[in-house]
Amino acid sequence: MAQLPEGVVQEGAGDCIWDPLRRHFWVGWGQRSSRESAAAIERHFGFPVVPLELVSPRYYHLDVCFYPLPGGEVVFYPGALSEASRAEIRRRVPADLRIEASSAEADLLCLNAVNLGRDIIMAKGTERLKEELETRGYRCIELDLEPFILSGGAAYCMTLRLDRSSTPLAAGAAHPVHSFTEA
């Protein structure tokens, strides 16, 4: 079991999103998780971490305004992130793979989505976003998640991902060795 340093907070899957294509974690900080948690995650898992600063209390976790897709696309709401974080996304994700959501789409919490291969399970969103995703070969499965949205989350917040695996710390190893895979 890993422990964070004293005073460092990391709220888990909502602020720590694995990107299997790029083989790094996107880590949200600024609302509920500490910036320093990024270094602790990188040390523990041995994979690069890209910290993204959340600047609006409305978007309290990264998973309500950002998600990577298996085709390399990244869907995100720019207004939830600092200028430096938006620049980092632009640096790492080619323009043709960036899908910028509107404030209306972010407010619907349809970015708090779960992707299972080319299927995206999401709260009811806008026709624009749905068409954008379907044009790229994804199938959007929209659900009425209004009761969950009232509490501040949607599809991703209701999951416990069991389709990923990692190898545990090797006996006697000085540094964790992890391998993440999609099942």
Side-chain angles (χ1 to χ4, degrees), residues 11-143:
E11 286 212 349
D15 271 341
C16 186
I17 300 173
W18 174 244
D19 187 327
L21 184 70
R22 293 175 183 85
R23 310 230 5 108
H24 69 239
F25 290 100
W26 299 95
V27 172
W29 66 276
Q31 297 303 311
R32 295 189 180 174
S33 293
S34 307
R35 168 85 167 85
E36 298 80 12
S37 72
I41 291 166
E42 190 165 41
R43 274 191 312 275
H44 179 75
F45 288 105
F47 282 96
V49 169
V50 180
L52 299 175
E53 181 183 13
L54 298 164
V55 295
S56 169
R58 169 82 170 111
Y59 307 102
Y60 57 91
H61 280 160
L62 188 61
D63 70 351
V64 297
C65 60
F66 175 98
Y67 64 97
L69 292 169
E73 300 91 350
V74 169
V75 182
F76 69 103
Y77 171 50
L81 303 164
S82 70
E83 176 53 44
S85 295
R86 293 189 305 267
E88 189 63 28
I89 292 169
R90 287 191 299 270
R91 189 176 79 73
R92 292 175 176 273
V93 181
D96 64 321
L97 295 178
R98 292 191 304 261
I99 302 171
E100 293 188 13
S102 69
S103 63
E105 290 161 341
D107 287 347
L108 292 169
L109 286 181
C110 62
L111 276 64
N112 187 248
V114 176
N115 68 285
L116 301 169
R118 302 302 286 188
D119 293 332
I120 301 173
I121 299 146
M122 60 197 291
K124 290 182 181 179
T126 64
E127 279 304 309
R128 185 208 72 87
L129 183 58
K130 185 177 175 183
E131 287 174 10
E132 173 77 24
L133 293 167
E134 289 176 347
T135 297
R136 294 170 181 262
Y138 294 97
R139 181 174 73 125
C140 296
I141 302 165
E142 294 181 301
L143 303 174

